[in-house]
């Protein structure tokens, strides 16, 4: 007995909506990064579900590349967070507008 693809798509849509809500409403930089990770994981669920549905590994390969991209994004994001904390003592992403030239 296999799980229908619609369940994977509903799970992915729910995760993506939660991540999008977090990106649009949170001002904390760490919560912002977690929300972006949720959105990327939702895309990975879609890729793997369609790869399983069609019986090829292309979606799994793309999901692996997306996981690598997410790791690089977290590394850069943590660097930006450290600069924010060092300069402002706060994790508020709205303070980053004052870091411009």
């Amino acid at each position: 007995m296999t799980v229908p693809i619609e369940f994977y798509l509903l799970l992915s849509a729910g995760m993506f909506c939660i991540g999008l809500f977090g990106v649009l409403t949170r001002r904390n930089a760490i919560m912002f990064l977690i929300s972006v990770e949720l959105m990327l994981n939702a895309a990975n669920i879609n890729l793997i579900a369609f790869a399983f549905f069609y019986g090829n590994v292309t979606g799994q390969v793309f999901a692996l590349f997306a996981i690598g991209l997410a790791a690089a994004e977290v590394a850069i994001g943590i660097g930006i967070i450290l600069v924010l904390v060092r300069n402002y003592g706060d994790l508020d992403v709205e303070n980053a507008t004052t870091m411009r030239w």
Side-chain angles (χ1 to χ4, degrees), residues 25-64:
T25 59
R26 301 292 180 182
R27 291 178 14 177
N28 188 341
I30 293 176
M31 292 302 294
F32 187 83
L33 280 177
I34 290 172
S35 299
V36 170
E37 289 295 322
L38 268 175
M39 292 168 62
L40 286 172
N41 284 329
N44 287 340
I45 289 174
N46 272 339
L47 289 170
I48 292 173
F50 280 117
F52 178 72
F53 182 72
Y54 288 115
N56 59 11
V57 296
T58 307
Q60 294 176 3
V61 171
F62 278 123
L64 285 175

Side-chain angles (χ1 to χ4, degrees), residues 2 4 8 14 22 24 28 30 36 46 51 53-54 59 62 64-65 67 70 73 77 82-83 87 89-91 94-95:
T2 61
Y8 292 114
L24 294 177
N28 188 341
I30 293 176
V36 170
N46 272 339
F53 182 72
Y54 288 115
F62 278 123
L64 285 175
F65 282 124
I67 290 169
E73 175 256 330
L82 289 175
V83 168
N87 289 340
D90 193 9
L91 289 177
E94 291 182 2
N95 289 340

